[in-house]
Each structure stands twice: as structure tokens, then as C-alpha cells.
Amino acid sequence: MQGTRFKLFPQPQFLDEYAEPEVVEVSSAPGTVGPGPSDRRMYSIFPIGKTEPYGISPDGSDPSAPPWTGKVEAPAVPDADGHFDYLEPGTPQFETAHLFGTVRFVMDIWEDYFDREIPWQGEASYDRQELTILHSLENAYSGYGFIEMGVDRSAGETRPFSLNFDVIAHEVGHAIIYSEVGVPDPQNVTGEYFGFHESAADLVALISSLHFNSLVDRLLENTRGNLYMLNAVNRVAELSENKQIRIAANDKRLGEFAKGWVKEHHLSQPLTGAFFDILVDIFHEMLLDYGAITPQMEHLSDELLATSNYAPVMQELFDEAYAANPDKFKMALLDARDIMGTYLADTWERLDEQGLNFVDVAEVFLDVDRAHTGGRFEKLILGNFRMRDIGLVAVGPQLEPLGKDSHANSVRTMLPMD
């Protein structure tokens, strides 16, 4: 069935390789997405005169919550066939359409992995999720009934997060986790829950980005299948050519937090790194299945990982193998992507927010592999979790009060009772 077309930037448009948006189809049938854009589950607006983000205002007055009832920019409207891909960058209408199209695209991906519709956390109070653009906000949030996109000014110019796929997908990831795993009792929450939350949001962005055909092609052409190279996929929520908020392909271990932690973003890195390494290892297993690499090459990759010999030795082997079978490399990567997406969805569906820690996540992920394959990937999954000290080291206490940049006590956790 034909879907509704939008133009989306797979990565920030200030990167030369991604200066032009890609046309994608979301699952909504043409004619079912109205002006805004809007549909039965969400609507996108560009408010006029909104100065503060949703949440507790700086002066301590009553909290602000959706819906926005003031003036808005003229909505994006579909063309005669029900599509939005005729819109060009540089207008408020393109921005609102890009925000809506990205959220719908990411939700389509994860609803396919969950094999069902994912409810919004605020459905008890709101008929639809509000997607809001607020250029006075230098951040981005998802919360009860809304997703709000600000801007980045760190590079000396205004770069709207509503045009940054990774940032939007990351916020959708938070919304999915709050809906599926839950908002914890503040008196019972663990630091690892907040680290898990940030990791899951990063993984939603990473896996979702691999659904852009152009990004997958560039990724493989640039790395020749050696995904441990710094590349578009492991630059999560990228803000410039050489600055990343977090790196998925990192070398962080949980032992670094045995004495305690300060920022949940940092605490998330060992878990994100473990899952990235699992993705790469499953990719290698798929390459073996397709006959695109030899068992000897796969074994050598494991032996040299995290050594100075990895890059010079393995890159030459990947160059040769990819040149011989580029189509098999692409099929293997898409298979690994979908295995990881399915496993993560099944894992998150079974987790409980109360007392959650990284060991819980690892154990459920292993159970999911046993349910799907009888434990085909158990050895590599266990190896990667142990390499990050998960299950071997306990996380220490919170050492400092959460800062203003923390999402653990931000508008994301605000509920109607607040």
C-alpha cells in the first residue's frame, strides 16, 4: 500500500553528504494526513509568541502543558495527492512537516519491531501528541503529551533540532521507553535506569537512521563494512562535523562508575557501547551466512579488536571483501539492523522501571535471543556485556545532585500529578 511522502534529512543538512533531503514514505495512506501536518495520533505546530518550553516555569508559577492555544505559523498542507514532499527547506512549513514526518517515520519503524501500535505515554489525558517547535529553547524534550524541539547555537548559528533526524529520533526513543517501561517512582529509581533510558534513546536513533537507503549506502561505501570506523551511524545526535554528544562505538566500561556517577549520559555509554558491539558482531555473523567473509577473517576481527593492529590489518581485508560482494554486505547489515531492532523491542517490552539495572537489561536480552534463535548469539552477547563489566561491577552511588542539563529530573518526567 502506498504511503504519504515527506522529505527528511537522514543526518544534519550542514554535513556536505546530507545537504539534500531524501524522500521517504510513512505508513499513513495519502489523504489521512491533514494540515499541520496532523493525523489521528499527533499534530505538528510552529507556535507564534510561545516564549517558554512546557514544564515548570523559571518563576515557579503553574506548570505549562499542552495544548498550545495561541497563534501558530500557517500549517503545512498536503498537495492534491495527499503528500508533503513538494515542500522545500527554508520555511516554517517545511520545518513542521520535517518534524511530523520524522516522528511518524520512527514510530513506523519501532511499531514494526514491536509488531503493534505503541501508545503515547499521555494518552490518558490527550487525544493526540503535540509536536512543537520553539526556537527560544536550546534543547529538545519529549514529555507527557508533547515533543518539543528547540535549536542548537553552539556553532555560532541557529540550527533547528526540528531538522535534525537523530535528535528527533532520540526524543521519540525517550517517549517509547516512558510508555513501554514506565516512569519510575522518584524514591525508588536507580541511576542505571536513567543511564538505560539515555542508551535506549540513542539506540532508537541509531537503528532508525539505518532505514535511510542513502545513509546505508554511504556508510558501507565509506567504511567498506568495517563499522568500527567513525561513521554516520555511530555519531549519535551529531551537532557538527567533529562534535558528537555521545559516541555509540565507545570504549567505556562500567568499572569507571564503580565509585559513583554524576551524569546519566556518561553512565549510559557502557550499555550503548555493548549494544553497538553486539550489532557489529551480528553483522559479521550475517556476512558469514551470506559467504561475504571467511570464518578466518571474522575470527581475526575478534582477536584484534581494541588493539593497535585492528585498523591497518582489518581495513585491507574489509576493502577486498566488500569490493567482491557489496550487495551481500548491504543485505547483512539490514538483517543485523532488524535483528537488533526486534530484540531491543522485545527486551524493552519485558522490563520493569522499578529497581532496573543493566544486568536486568542484559539478562532479558539473552532470554530474547534464546526465544528467537535458541541462543545462537548467546556467546557474543555475553562476551560484549562482560567486556563492558556489565554483570561484573556494581554501579556506585550518585555523587552530585543532577545538573540543569540532566533529563532525569526535567520536563520529561513531569506527570499530571506534578
Side-chain angles (χ1 to χ4, degrees):
M1 183 179 70
Q2 185 187 34
T4 301
R5 295 195 300 269
F6 288 85
K7 283 180 179 175
L8 304 182
F9 290 106
Q11 293 284 281
Q13 66 186 116
F14 52 78
L15 298 176
D16 290 341
E17 286 188 324
Y18 298 97
E20 295 298 322
E22 181 174 329
V23 175
V24 304
E25 283 191 3
V26 300
S27 63
S28 311
T32 64
V33 181
S38 62
D39 64 13
R40 67 179 181 85
R41 300 202 63 209
M42 57 190 178
Y43 60 95
S44 182
I45 59 172
F46 200 137
I48 297 173
K50 190 175 191 291
T51 58
E52 298 293 339
Y54 289 129
I56 307 298
S57 62
D59 62 7
S61 60
D62 290 339
S64 170
W68 169 254
T69 57
K71 294 181 179 180
V72 298
E73 296 281 358
V77 296
D79 64 17
D81 296 320
H83 302 293
F84 292 82
D85 59 328
Y86 73 94
L87 294 167
E88 294 296 333
T91 65
Q93 291 71 36
F94 180 84
E95 238 180 282
T96 54
H98 189 277
L99 174 55
F100 181 96
T102 299
V103 174
R104 181 67 269 169
F105 186 64
V106 174
M107 289 294 280
D108 283 347
I109 290 165
W110 289 92
E111 287 179 342
D112 186 51
Y113 290 141
F114 276 91
D115 198 27
R116 58 173 169 80
E117 185 172 278
I118 300 171
W120 293 115
Q121 177 200 6
E123 282 190 357
S125 304
Y126 297 102
D127 292 335
R128 297 186 296 171
Q129 189 88 343
E130 183 176 290
L131 314 178
T132 309
I133 296 170
L134 183 62
H135 281 189
S136 63
L137 171 65
E138 294 190 42
N139 211 325
Y141 296 111
S142 61
Y144 193 86
F146 68 91
I147 293 176
E148 192 156 43
M149 288 289 129
V151 299
D152 170 51
R153 294 192 176 94
S154 63
E157 58 182 291
T158 298
R159 293 171 171 172
F161 287 135
S162 53
L163 299 178
N164 189 315
F165 181 87
D166 279 344
V167 172
I168 301 170
H170 180 95
E171 294 307 319
V172 174
H174 280 298
I176 291 172
I177 295 302
Y178 276 134
S179 175
E180 293 296 328
V181 181
V183 182
D185 177 351
Q187 305 304 316
N188 255 339
V189 70
T190 64
E192 284 169 89
Y193 171 85
F194 292 124
F196 155 75
H197 215 295
E198 288 299 322
S199 174
D202 281 345
L203 292 166
V204 165
L206 189 155
I207 296 294
S208 298
S209 71
L210 289 172
H211 284 259
F212 284 102
N213 193 56
S214 62
L215 186 145
V216 170
D217 288 343
R218 287 192 181 101
L219 168 65
L220 290 173
E221 281 296 316
N222 290 340
T223 66
R224 319 302 280 179
N226 181 11
L227 298 188
Y228 283 115
M229 290 178 61
L230 187 62
N231 54 62
V233 170
N234 58 32
R235 292 185 176 199
V236 180
E238 184 163 18
L239 300 182
S240 72
E241 299 250 15
N242 57 11
K243 176 183 176 184
Q244 299 83 41
I245 295 176
R246 291 168 295 280
I247 303 296
N250 65 70
D251 58 0
K252 297 293 182 181
R253 302 170 70 107
L254 211 56
E256 297 176 38
F257 303 94
K259 294 182 179 180
W261 63 280
V262 177
K263 293 181 179 291
E264 68 268 27
H265 305 100
H266 297 162
L267 185 56
S268 73
Q269 290 184 319
L271 186 60
T272 304
F275 279 125
F276 181 79
D277 291 345
I278 291 167
L279 171 67
V280 174
D281 281 345
I282 293 176
F283 173 50
H284 291 173
E285 291 294 317
M286 298 300 100
L287 287 172
L288 283 171
D289 286 355
Y290 284 114
I293 63 172
T294 64
Q296 292 79 10
M297 179 176 167
E298 197 269 342
H299 178 71
L300 185 61
S301 175
D302 291 340
E303 289 292 309
L304 296 180
L305 186 62
T307 72
S308 59
N309 291 325
Y310 185 91
V313 173
M314 294 308 303
Q315 193 59 59
E316 183 176 351
L317 294 176
F318 272 106
D319 289 346
E320 294 174 0
Y322 177 78
N325 288 296
D327 290 342
K328 290 182 178 179
F329 267 73
K330 185 172 184 177
M331 290 188 293
L333 180 55
L334 299 186
D335 285 350
R337 173 201 72 186
D338 290 338
I339 290 169
M340 277 298 296
T342 300
Y343 278 28
L344 288 170
D346 288 357
T347 297
W348 298 337
E349 198 170 38
R350 295 170 53 183
L351 291 174
D352 184 352
E353 78 276 9
Q354 299 301 341
L356 185 146
N357 57 53
F358 290 174
V359 173
D360 296 333
V361 178
E363 288 178 348
V364 173
F365 195 82
L366 282 162
D367 286 344
V368 167
D369 177 54
R370 295 183 191 109
H372 279 280
T373 68
R376 175 183 176 182
F377 304 122
E378 181 171 349
K379 183 178 178 181
L380 69 86
I381 292 170
L382 274 172
N384 282 303
F385 282 132
R386 286 173 178 163
M387 189 169 68
R388 304 297 178 145
D389 299 333
I390 295 171
L392 304 177
V393 174
V395 174
Q398 181 180 336
L399 299 176
E400 296 178 13
L402 295 171
K404 290 183 178 180
D405 61 341
S406 171
H407 297 309
N409 61 352
S410 73
V411 65
R412 285 204 185 117
T413 58
M414 188 178 71
L415 298 174
M417 69 183 69
D418 298 322

